[in-house]
């Protein structure tokens, strides 16, 4: 009996590890959300609704993951409930859908920023297709698990195809967003020292946030492919929604620093059309835009 329980513990350890890291990241999400709603009361209704929706969905995700861990580590450890370990528990299905939804929401916001900076429909559309692909194949994988009601579907052909394409599309989408932001920010260089310094900071800041989610998605894909009969990839999957939420919130909360640097510490000559585009990319508040236009 003890050997059986130990085997179960090792198999499902990634779920517990992912939840523990998720607790830490969820705390950061809450604090970043508080900062946002306190400091950006004049943001558009769309942006505030997006942040509120992401926070609610991520909270729902956290609760579902907690219920899943409770199910596997407490309920299913009872001898009469061992069969439940192989089943696709409803809480896991709910958390998966929440992850795909948050990923799509945050990627859509970044794609809007890429378009505002580039005005290029082709590039923005291509990145958008990658985001749609991750959502579509993610739902395909979820349906496969739901229909079979078994975690073993993750290791079957259809499950492997759905999961591989979903993770690959997510990774490529994040990399494409980072590359596009880097390229168009780099093209905006004007030669002024203050401008160059600010652009370098924006590139470092925006690209690093994109690379964070890209690396997480890539590592998940690698674990998925090289350890097909393990749940090792789950530990990263369970924190993916938290990474995306925090990337979005930190970016939005960074706007005040950008505004101060662009309009407080630089000359009017260096704050031309390019930096007006940066303000648009950073989704400035209506009040700030209107007051700035009066000057």
């Amino acid at each position: 009996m003890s050997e059986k329980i130990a085997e179960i513990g090792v198999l499902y350890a990634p779920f517990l590890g992912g939840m523990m890291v998720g607790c830490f990241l969820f705390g950061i999400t809450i604090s970043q959300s508080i900062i946002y709603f306190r400091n950006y009361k004049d943001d558009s209704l769309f942006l505030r609704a997006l942040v509120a929706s992401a926070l609610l969905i991520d909270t729902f995700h956290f609760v579902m993951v907690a219920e899943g861990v409770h199910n596997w580590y407490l309920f299913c450890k009872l001898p009469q409930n061992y069969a439940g370990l192989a089943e696709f528990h409803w809480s896991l299905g709910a958390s998966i859908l929440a992850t795909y939804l948050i990923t799509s929401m945050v990627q859509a916001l970044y794609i809007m920023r890429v378009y505002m900076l580039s005005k290029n429909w082709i590039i923005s559309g291509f990145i958008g297709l990658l985001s749609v692909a991750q959502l579509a194949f993610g739902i395909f994988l979820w349906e496969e698990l739901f229909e079979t009601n078994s975690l073993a579907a993750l290791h079957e052909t259809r499950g492997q195809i759905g999961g591989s394409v979903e993770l690959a599309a997510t990774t490529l989408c994040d990399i494409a967003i980072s590359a596009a932001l880097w390229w168009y920010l780099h093209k905006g260089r004007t030669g002024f020292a203050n401008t160059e310094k600010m652009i370098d900071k924006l590139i470092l800041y925006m690209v690093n946030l994109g690379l964070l989610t890209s690396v997480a998605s890539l590592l998940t894909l690698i674990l998925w492919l090289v350890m097909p009969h393990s749940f090792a990839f789950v530990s990263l999957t369970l924190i993916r929604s938290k990474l995306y939420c925090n990337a979005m919130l930190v970016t939005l909360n960074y706007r005040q620093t950008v505004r101060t640097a662009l309009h407080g510490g630089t000359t009017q000559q260096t704050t031309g059309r390019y930096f007006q585009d940066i303000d648009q990319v950073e989704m400035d508040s209506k009040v700030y835009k209107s007051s700035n236009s009066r000057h």
Side-chain angles (χ1 to χ4, degrees):
M1 180 67 68
S2 60
E3 292 180 358
K4 182 66 175 180
I5 294 178
E7 181 181 344
I8 293 172
V10 171
L11 182 63
Y12 287 88
F15 289 93
L16 182 59
M19 180 187 173
M20 293 173 66
V21 176
C23 288
F24 170 75
L25 293 176
F26 184 63
I28 297 177
T29 300
I30 295 297
S31 64
Q32 288 293 328
S33 298
I34 292 173
I35 292 172
Y36 171 78
F37 285 112
R38 280 183 176 177
N39 296 336
Y40 296 94
K41 297 179 180 179
D42 298 309
D43 268 357
S44 66
L45 179 61
F46 165 77
L47 193 56
R48 290 172 63 84
L50 179 67
V51 172
S53 299
L55 178 60
L56 288 174
I57 295 172
D58 196 42
T59 302
F60 173 76
H61 175 273
F62 178 77
V63 173
M64 291 299 98
V65 171
E67 169 56 27
V69 171
H70 165 265
N71 175 69
W72 287 309
Y73 274 86
L74 295 178
F75 181 75
C76 290
K77 276 191 175 182
L78 298 176
Q80 64 270 27
N81 298 325
Y82 280 159
L85 289 169
E87 295 179 355
F88 181 59
H89 195 253
W90 61 270
S91 61
L92 178 60
S95 67
I96 288 176
L97 287 179
T99 297
Y100 295 148
L101 185 56
I102 289 177
T103 300
S104 298
M105 292 168 59
V106 176
Q107 286 179 342
L109 180 62
Y110 276 95
I111 291 168
M112 290 172 59
R113 299 166 77 196
V114 169
Y115 174 73
M116 282 188 243
L117 199 58
S118 68
K119 301 299 188 293
N120 191 315
W121 278 106
I122 297 177
I123 292 177
S124 303
F126 171 73
I127 300 174
L129 286 176
L130 291 174
S131 181
V132 171
Q134 75 84 20
L135 179 60
F137 279 91
I139 293 176
F140 170 81
L141 176 61
W142 174 84
E143 289 181 343
E144 187 68 18
L145 288 166
F146 183 79
E147 289 178 1
T148 60
N149 191 33
S150 174
L151 290 174
L154 290 171
H155 309 310
E156 301 297 332
T157 302
R158 288 171 60 87
Q160 285 288 300
I161 292 175
S164 297
V165 175
E166 184 272 321
L167 289 171
T170 301
T171 304
L172 289 175
C173 183
D174 291 342
I175 293 175
I177 289 172
S178 298
L181 288 175
W182 173 85
W183 174 252
Y184 287 107
L185 284 171
H186 181 73
K187 285 182 65 177
R189 296 182 183 276
T190 62
F192 296 101
N194 288 337
T195 305
E196 296 290 305
K197 184 177 180 180
M198 194 62 231
I199 290 178
D200 287 338
K201 289 182 178 180
L202 284 169
I203 290 175
L204 181 65
Y205 183 79
M206 292 184 179
V207 173
N208 280 352
L209 282 175
L211 288 178
L212 176 64
T213 55
S214 300
V215 170
S217 298
L218 181 59
L219 289 177
T220 306
L221 178 60
I222 292 174
L223 290 174
W224 170 273
L225 294 175
V226 302
M227 304 177 70
H229 300 293
S230 169
F231 292 135
F233 69 93
V234 171
S235 57
L236 291 173
T237 300
L238 293 182
I239 66 172
R240 193 168 102 183
S241 66
K242 309 293 183 294
L243 293 177
Y244 277 94
C245 269
N246 281 306
M248 177 182 69
L249 287 166
V250 171
T251 300
L252 293 175
N253 288 332
Y254 184 68
R255 287 176 298 165
Q256 191 59 50
T257 302
V258 174
R259 295 172 187 173
T260 301
L262 294 182
H263 302 281
T266 60
T267 64
Q268 182 66 29
Q269 187 177 15
T270 64
T271 58
R273 180 182 179 280
Y274 174 72
F275 286 120
Q276 292 174 8
D277 289 340
I278 291 297
D279 276 343
Q280 292 177 355
V281 170
E282 293 298 327
M283 301 292 184
D284 268 321
S285 66
K286 294 179 179 178
V287 170
Y288 175 76
K289 286 183 176 180
S290 61
S291 63
N292 190 49
S293 61
R294 288 196 294 270
H295 296 295

